[in-house]
Amino acid sequence: MKIETTCVQEGYHPKNGEPRVLPIYQSTTFKYDTCDYMGKLFDLEADGYFYTRLANPTVGCVEEKIAKLEGGVGAMMTSSGQAASLLAVMNICSAGDHIICSAAVYGGTFNLLDVTLKRFGIDVTFVNPDADYDELDQAFQENTKAVFGETIANPALNVLDIEKFAKLAHAHQVPLIVDNTFATPILCRPIDFGADIVTHSTSKYMDGHAVSLGGVIVDSGKFDWAKSGKFPGLTTADESYHGVVYTEKFGASAFIVKARVQLMRDLGSSPSPQNAFLLNLGLETLHLRMRAHSDNALKVAQFLENDSRVSWVNYPGLASSPYKDLVQKYLPNGTSGVISFGVKGGRDAAMRVLDSLKIAAIVTHVADARTCALHPASTTHRQMTAQQLAECGIGEDLIRLSVGIENADDIIADLDQALHA
């Protein structure tokens, strides 16, 4: 199927006389006829649903759809995008391990890796994603277990050279994890360019309407976890499941199965069936919305670029973007709906512009049908020092604008009056 058809048709396949629309299985638990069969579930010897914390039919259908959209062998939904990032790393890292991460990532991800995971004994080195191969190669250590980056960075909008980072990671026999939230599989499929694990905050474009919190991890099934001997959690016996070895029993799906039956079992970052149902509705129109977001954002970015009240504009889709070559390679069908720009007058002027917007709302959220705006330095990234902000590419004058699917002329008129004010 083409990706547009996958958005609409995959995941749920009703049989004769069954509901046409994906049902909501609003149940925490499931009935079985014998103790023996239920025991097989807990031994990972049989397929089925034994508790919604681990799996649920509604959630499972949406996971299947997302896995197909990204070209993976399996997916696991989580309660939020933060939970997806956390579990993707923790599934292969433990105390004493090290990861490499692009410095141009979402502030919440930065804090997760730099603060919380360090308390768990997992160290991180942040690198300039635009650095050359040799410079990035020097960041690897003997205990490095993964490389992490974002397809389109939030909110710096750096475009990740996925193939470069995949080559680096694989040269050191570790996986590349790519957060594909801003691009979605409609605009870019990182697995096609060498990524091993893909994550999303599904709360953003995938949902598209700011109604359901969630995240997802997609396993490409392509990384050889046994080859290097660096991932004993996947290649040695898990005594909590009677000695199962994930790579031996589940093959290409080893990573995503372990994430579900071990980490989701113990940490419980589960999505609700109701949220999965709402997410599925968003996924059915994802291919339409991503093109509308990209088209509108390009028009808005071009307006801002030619406005004397604006000091700078960063949008990967602009002809003037330093990432135009990477865009042509990874994002030829659009560069999503998020723009960052600075207003002459700095921090105070930027905040006054936001206060004057009428159509665009000031919200923490980003990437839904409605246009919204944010001043990251005073909100989402306010815990960072000036130096950390600079390393992430976030100036104190930066406005993050998430362009919606309204008429582009109305969005531009709103910005024009706000800049005038």
Side-chain angles (χ1 to χ4, degrees), residues 106-126:
Y106 167 59
T109 304
F110 190 100
N111 287 333
L112 169 66
L113 302 179
D114 193 47
V115 178
T116 300
L117 285 188
K118 280 187 177 180
R119 290 174 180 162
F120 294 167
I122 300 171
D123 199 14
V124 59
T125 297
F126 291 100

Side-chain angles (χ1 to χ4, degrees), residues 298-317:
L298 180 57
K299 293 175 184 176
V300 172
Q302 289 169 339
F303 161 76
L304 292 169
E305 190 175 42
N306 293 309
D307 195 294
S308 61
R309 298 162 294 187
V310 174
S311 52
W312 59 270
V313 181
N314 182 13
Y315 181 64

Side-chain angles (χ1 to χ4, degrees), residues 334-393:
T335 49
S336 197
V338 181
I339 301 168
S340 61
F341 66 98
V343 177
K344 290 180 180 177
R347 183 188 185 108
D348 291 341
M351 295 174 74
R352 286 199 303 273
V353 168
L354 263 68
D355 291 346
S356 302
L357 291 168
K358 300 184 184 301
I359 291 177
I362 302 173
V363 298
T364 304
H365 196 58
V366 66
D368 71 53
R370 293 161 290 265
T371 297
C372 55
L374 187 73
H375 182 242
S378 64
T379 54
T380 55
H381 291 63
R382 68 181 298 122
Q383 294 89 355
M384 292 185 179
T385 65
Q387 180 179 344
Q388 288 174 327
L389 285 171
E391 288 173 354
C392 289

Side-chain angles (χ1 to χ4, degrees), residues 110-153:
F110 190 100
N111 287 333
L112 169 66
L113 302 179
D114 193 47
V115 178
T116 300
L117 285 188
K118 280 187 177 180
R119 290 174 180 162
F120 294 167
I122 300 171
D123 199 14
V124 59
T125 297
F126 291 100
V127 296
N128 176 1
D130 300 329
D132 63 28
Y133 186 96
D134 292 338
E135 182 180 341
L136 292 168
D137 190 58
Q138 293 174 15
F140 284 84
Q141 302 176 13
E142 195 171 315
N143 59 340
T144 301
K145 294 295 181 68
V147 180
F148 191 103
E150 295 176 355
T151 308
I152 303 175

Side-chain angles (χ1 to χ4, degrees), residues 150-204:
E150 295 176 355
T151 308
I152 303 175
N154 176 15
L157 303 182
N158 301 59
V159 176
L160 190 72
D161 189 341
I162 300 169
E163 284 191 341
K164 178 178 73 175
F165 274 79
K167 183 179 178 182
L168 278 159
H170 297 161
H172 293 269
Q173 297 182 308
V174 300
L176 172 62
I177 304 171
V178 175
D179 183 332
N180 198 34
T181 297
F182 272 13
T184 80
I186 302 302
L187 301 180
C188 179
R189 301 208 314 174
I191 290 171
D192 293 345
F193 298 100
D196 303 291
I197 307 297
V198 173
T199 64
H200 287 267
S201 169
T202 62
S203 320
K204 308 304 188 298

